[in-house]
């Protein structure tokens, strides 16, 4: 244990995801040796995140404005909505350059063991978007959504979330519901692929 502010900083850093006590101690001592200007920049960045970051009222993405840059882009396909668990997942999909629609961020996945239920996620706003309840930019009428792509993680929680959404979305007529394909990774060897991944690859095989 260290004295005063230094120990307080280590304790706070230890609360961050992926940062254990030893890592927190290394970061704290690194900051202790930094120039005051560098520490001030970090403090300003933290304050800017706290005070200057909000969530898009349309898709729940992290944004500096009331509407994020993706929802504000008139060139995006408004009829397609890709549902992701977290805002960071949007950047992964955007880097592919293969998707030009809009997004919807749930804010997590269903996890009964962690007491995360449907009410803890942005599921109700998603249904309102598809139902045409939520207004679009500048109060304009909500665009018609013809396809919802479920891009939740291919783990137990993500699959449970996708299955739950499928049951809800089937109540909307003429809505196409799709799921990101999963299977063998490019460059992988068949002998090292686990049974579940191989099973999904077989189920989702493409006709050539």
């Amino acid at each position: 244990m260290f004295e005063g502010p230094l120990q307080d900083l280590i304790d706070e850093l230890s609360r961050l995801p992926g940062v254990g006590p030893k890592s927190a101690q290394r970061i704290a001592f690194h900051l202790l040796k930094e120039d005051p200007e560098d520490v001030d920049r970090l403090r300003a960045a933290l304050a800017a995140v706290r005070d200057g970051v909000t969530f898009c009222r349309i898709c729940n993405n992290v944004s500096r404005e009331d509407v994020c840059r993706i929802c504000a882009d008139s060139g995006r396909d408004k009829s397609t909505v890709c549902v992701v668990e977290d805002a960071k997942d949007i950047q992964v999909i955007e880097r592919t350059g293969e998707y030009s629609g809009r997004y919807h961020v749930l804010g997590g996945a269903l996890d009964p063991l962690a007491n995360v239920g449907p009410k803890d996620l942005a599921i109700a706003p998603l249904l309102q978007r598809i139902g045409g309840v939520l207004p679009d930019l500048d109060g304009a009428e909500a665009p018609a959504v013809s396809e919802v792509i479920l891009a939740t993680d291919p783990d137990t929680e993500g699959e449970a979330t996708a299955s739950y959404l499928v049951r809800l979305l089937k109540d909307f007529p003429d809505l196409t519901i799709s799921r990101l394909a999963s299977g063998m990774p490019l460059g992988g060897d068949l002998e090292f692929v686990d049974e579940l991944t191989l099973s999904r690859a077989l189920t989702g095989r493409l006709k050539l």
Side-chain angles (χ1 to χ4, degrees):
M1 295 287 290
F2 298 92
E3 294 183 1
L6 180 59
Q7 186 60 48
D8 292 340
L9 176 59
I10 294 174
D11 292 340
E12 291 302 317
L13 291 172
S14 298
R15 296 173 55 192
L16 298 176
V19 179
K22 291 185 178 180
S23 296
Q25 184 174 313
R26 285 196 297 270
I27 296 171
F29 274 95
H30 172 77
L31 294 174
L32 192 62
K33 298 175 183 178
E34 285 289 285
D35 293 332
E37 294 81 6
D38 295 330
V39 177
D40 288 341
R41 281 199 300 272
L42 176 59
R43 181 171 59 185
L46 292 172
V49 169
R50 179 194 63 195
D51 302 328
V53 173
T54 184
F55 296 94
C56 176
R57 64 171 176 80
I58 296 177
C59 72
N60 201 38
N61 185 20
V62 173
S63 176
R64 289 187 298 177
E65 307 294 339
D66 184 48
V67 175
C68 72
R69 61 176 180 82
I70 293 179
C71 288
D73 186 351
S74 60
R76 309 284 303 204
D77 180 8
K78 298 180 180 180
S79 67
T80 305
V81 175
C82 181
V83 180
V84 296
E85 293 182 18
D86 298 301
K88 58 182 174 59
D89 299 330
I90 293 178
Q91 303 305 318
V92 178
I93 297 176
E94 285 295 287
R95 285 199 296 268
T96 68
E98 296 293 330
Y99 180 68
S100 60
R102 285 184 169 185
Y103 294 91
H104 187 86
V105 181
L106 294 174
L110 295 177
D111 187 357
L113 296 179
N115 294 320
V116 178
K119 294 183 178 179
D120 299 308
L121 306 178
I123 294 178
L126 172 64
L127 302 179
Q128 292 175 340
R129 285 182 70 181
I130 299 173
V133 176
L134 292 181
D136 203 54
L137 301 176
D138 300 322
E141 183 178 349
V145 177
S146 59
E147 180 180 6
V148 171
I149 303 171
L150 301 178
T152 53
D153 292 340
D155 54 18
T156 303
E157 293 79 12
E159 291 295 336
T161 305
S163 297
Y164 180 78
L165 290 175
V166 167
R167 292 198 300 270
L168 296 179
L169 296 175
K170 283 186 175 180
D171 292 336
F172 293 90
D174 303 323
L175 177 67
T176 299
I177 308 169
S178 58
R179 179 88 165 102
L180 287 187
S182 60
M184 292 182 57
L186 291 176
D189 292 329
L190 187 62
E191 62 178 310
F192 299 119
V193 178
D194 63 272
E195 289 82 359
L196 180 59
T197 300
L198 185 56
S199 174
R200 289 183 177 176
L202 287 169
T203 302
R205 64 189 182 276
L206 299 175
K207 184 177 181 180
L208 303 178

